């Protein structure tokens, strides 16, 4: 039996992960499930999967869950807070950790899993964007294994030759091509973007996802974070990572070789494919995803992304070029701006403005140790909040 901890089990990726686990009861066991404060969601999952542990980041919610678990005589121990998340990320009976918490909040638990040498199923791209070099160094040091869940990086992983960890030149790869749907505003007149609402931004044409990543897809910051993610996962420079708009979301990404060959991975837009791939790798298992009907798809279209329409993509390229902790500042500012767009009436077009200004004013002391990165993340949030207040 393969033991799995699902960090963020009540979210979109978490639910898809549990769907795959439920299809293979003799192969996988959910050892620990976690959520922020979705008490009902986590309780129902405990009833269905009877995990050894359930963790709620929110202390109050954890107490309530504990009472419910006791009343129902379930075999689950309830833990709370970041400590609890870290504990279940490194349990000896856990082989794989699905990192599906949204945002930099997932950093400490995923690092705990890395340091315990687990197979990391990495959906939480923000954790890697914030801690890039440190994360990859720790993976190496502790013999952990990282398998990408993000559909693009999972596609790239599937198209990469063995030994890519030595560097792309050595294995004959010329470049990586990340596909992007362009989100709900691909064709909206640029002048109209100022007025778009959170509901419109969260209505993604192809994927059903959490609200934060949905807004990131609408601004294309999601693709920017993915460019940074690709640089770390595939040991490459931003110049070798290109982005192409592909509105059907059927080709999930491509790898171009020196001889001109281009390999692509295709499939229906359903996250259970990359999840099942990463969980079973190097084997293959059923995921519940329907066969791809190419006749139904009929057309595959491609276009260049416009940096005028999607300034966040340009900001992300600039941050990874700048290196050091610039991506951590970019990510923190983006998290603040997206939350303000969703909850405080910040205009959609002010999101890149908050990020640009935060990058300008946040000091970035040298050092990429964890303490420094967490301090920079916190400082960037304070400054981004101040800038946001001026813009709402
Ligand atoms: P979501 O909002 O649906 O779920 C987030 C999960 O994290 C929930 O279980 C929530 O309870 C938990 N969580 C939130 N804040 C937390 C905190 N402070 N502490 C502890 N737990 C917390 O998000 P999602 O769409 O499932 O995305 C999760 C991650 O996967 C993100 O990093 C996203 O970028 C990445 N991702 C998602 C998709 C997708 O299709 N949804 C695709 C690729 C990558
Ligand atoms: Mg993606």
């Amino acid at each position: 039996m393969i033991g799995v901890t699902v960090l963020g089990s009540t979210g979109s990726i978490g639910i898809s992960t549990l769907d795959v686990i439920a299809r293979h009861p003799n192969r996988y066991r959910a050892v620990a499930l976690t959520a922020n404060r979705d008490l009902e969601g986590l309780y129902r999952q405990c009833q269905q999967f009877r995990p050894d542990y359930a963790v709620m980041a929110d202390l109050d919610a954890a107490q309530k869950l504990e009472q419910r678990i006791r009343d129902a005589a379930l075999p689950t121990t309830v833990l709370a807070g970041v400590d609890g998340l870290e504990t279940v990320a490194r349990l000896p009976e856990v082989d794989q950790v699905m990192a599906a918490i949204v945002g930099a909040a997932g950093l400490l638990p995923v690092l705990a899993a890395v340091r315990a040498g687990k197979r990391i199923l990495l959906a939480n791209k923000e954790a890697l964007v914030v801690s890039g070099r440190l994360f990859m160094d720790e993976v190496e040091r502790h013999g952990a294994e990282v398998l990408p869940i993000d559909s693009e990086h999972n596609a790239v992983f599937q198209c990469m030759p063995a030994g890519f960890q030595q560097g792309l030149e050595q294995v004959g790869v010329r470049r990586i091509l990340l596909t992007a749907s362009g989100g709900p505003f691909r064709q909206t007149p640029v002048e109209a973007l100022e007025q778009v609402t959170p509901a419109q931004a969260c209505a993604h044409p192809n994927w059903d996802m959490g609200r934060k990543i949905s807004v990131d897809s609408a601004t294309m910051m999601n693709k920017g974070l993915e460019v940074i993610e690709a640089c770390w996962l595939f040991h490459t420079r931003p110049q070798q990572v290109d982005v192409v708009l592909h509105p059907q979301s059927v080709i999930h990404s491509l790898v171009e070789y020196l001889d001109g060959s281009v390999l692509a991975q295709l499939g229906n837009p359903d996250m259970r494919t990359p999840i099942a791939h990463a969980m079973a790798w190097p084997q293959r298992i059923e995921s519940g995803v329907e066969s791809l009907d190419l006749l139904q798809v009929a057309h595959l279209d491609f276009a260049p992304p416009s940096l005028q329409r999607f300034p966040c993509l340009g900001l992300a390229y600039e941050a990874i070029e700048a290196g050091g902790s610039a991506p951590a500042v970019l990510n923190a500012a983006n998290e603040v701006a997206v939350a303000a767009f969703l909850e405080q009436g910040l205009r959609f077009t002010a999101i890149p403005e908050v990020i640009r200004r935060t990058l300008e004013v946040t000091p970035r002391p040298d050092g990429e140790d964890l303490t420094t990165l967490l301090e920079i993340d916190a400082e960037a949030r304070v400054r981004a909040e101040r800038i946001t207040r001026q813009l709402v």
Side-chain angles (χ1 to χ4, degrees):
M1 271 307 229
I2 297 171
V4 187
T5 281
V6 185
L7 298 170
S9 64
T10 57
S12 162
I13 293 285
I15 289 169
S16 293
T17 305
L18 288 176
D19 184 278
V20 173
I21 290 177
R23 285 166 198 278
H24 302 278
N26 298 324
R27 186 178 175 118
Y28 300 105
R29 186 169 82 87
V31 176
L33 303 179
T34 86
N36 189 21
R37 53 169 75 98
D38 178 4
L39 177 65
E40 278 309 315
L42 192 56
Y43 177 69
R44 264 184 276 116
Q45 291 182 341
C46 288
Q47 283 180 306
Q48 186 183 348
F49 291 92
R50 305 175 72 85
D52 298 346
Y53 296 89
V55 188
M56 305 220 69
D58 184 86
L59 306 187
D60 211 41
Q63 273 183 355
K64 293 192 176 113
L65 180 69
E66 186 161 32
Q67 188 61 50
R68 297 278 297 273
I69 296 267
R70 211 180 307 135
D71 292 348
L74 290 173
T76 303
T77 303
V78 177
L79 305 177
V82 178
D83 284 354
L85 296 171
E86 290 183 333
T87 301
V88 298
R90 52 179 175 235
L91 291 169
E93 59 272 39
V94 165
D95 306 287
Q96 307 190 348
V97 174
M98 167 55 78
I101 290 174
V102 58
L107 177 59
L108 293 177
V110 73
L111 275 182
V114 166
R115 289 170 175 160
K118 307 297 186 193
R119 173 179 289 199
I120 314 295
L121 312 168
L122 185 71
N124 181 201
K125 66 194 86 183
E126 297 94 341
L128 183 58
V129 167
V130 170
S131 68
R133 186 177 313 283
L134 171 88
F135 188 102
M136 297 308 289
D137 286 352
E138 294 287 274
V139 165
E140 177 100 15
R141 179 170 313 131
H142 298 279
E145 195 180 21
V146 184
L147 287 155
I149 297 299
D150 218 344
S151 57
E152 296 76 5
H153 306 74
N154 184 269
V156 169
F157 182 87
Q158 294 196 45
C159 298
M160 276 286 172
F164 69 81
Q165 293 82 351
Q166 272 77 61
L168 297 193
E169 281 79 13
Q170 277 88 318
V171 290
V173 170
R174 184 181 286 153
R175 65 174 176 147
I176 290 169
L177 261 155
L178 300 181
T179 53
S181 69
F185 306 137
R186 184 172 54 90
Q187 292 174 313
T188 308
V190 176
E191 321 77 68
L193 291 177
E194 190 157 348
Q195 302 300 332
V196 300
T197 64
Q200 289 169 322
C202 290
H204 196 279
N206 307 337
W207 298 95
D208 182 9
M209 309 180 288
R211 281 162 69 78
K212 192 266 179 181
I213 184 176
S214 295
V215 176
D216 285 348
S217 299
T219 62
M220 276 191 84
M221 178 53 92
N222 183 49
K223 210 53 51 180
L225 298 176
E226 290 183 356
V227 168
I228 300 173
E229 184 185 10
C231 289
W232 291 115
L233 287 177
F234 302 113
H235 311 274
T236 188
R237 292 166 295 127
Q239 297 86 338
Q240 281 175 291
V241 184
D242 287 333
V243 173
V244 62
L245 288 187
H246 164 47
Q248 289 87 1
S249 298
V250 165
I251 298 183
H252 297 306
S253 279
L254 315 90
V255 174
E256 183 180 320
Y257 286 78
L258 292 176
D259 60 10
S261 295
V262 180
L263 301 193
Q265 186 260 356
L266 286 73
N268 287 319
D270 186 323
M271 291 306 291
R272 291 176 300 176
T273 294
I275 291 168
H277 168 268
M279 288 178 69
W281 186 81
Q283 296 175 348
R284 296 274 180 173
I285 57 169
E286 276 284 350
S287 67
V289 176
E290 277 182 35
S291 279
L292 176 64
D293 184 345
L294 279 177
L295 299 179
Q296 179 87 36
V297 175
H299 296 282
L300 297 175
D301 297 317
F302 305 98
S306 149
L307 291 186
Q308 189 214 352
R309 176 183 294 276
F310 299 115
C312 285
L313 181 59
L315 289 170
Y317 268 104
E318 284 169 30
I320 184 74
E321 284 286 357
S325 56
V329 175
L330 173 96
N331 177 71
N334 183 56
E335 287 191 30
V336 169
V338 170
F341 168 68
L342 287 172
E343 287 147 31
Q344 294 153 27
L346 183 75
R347 280 172 298 112
F348 181 77
T349 44
I351 295 173
E353 197 49 40
V354 171
I355 300 165
R356 190 191 318 278
R357 291 205 214 166
T358 308
L359 276 162
E360 278 166 13
V361 299
T362 308
R364 301 202 297 271
D366 283 346
E368 289 174 53
D369 58 291
L370 187 56
T371 314
T372 309
L373 285 173
L374 293 176
E375 277 167 14
I376 291 172
D377 171 82
E379 180 64 29
R381 279 169 207 268
V382 170
R383 291 178 186 251
E385 274 159 16
R386 206 174 295 151
I387 294 164
T388 300
R389 279 197 294 278
Q390 292 162 4
L391 292 174
V392 284

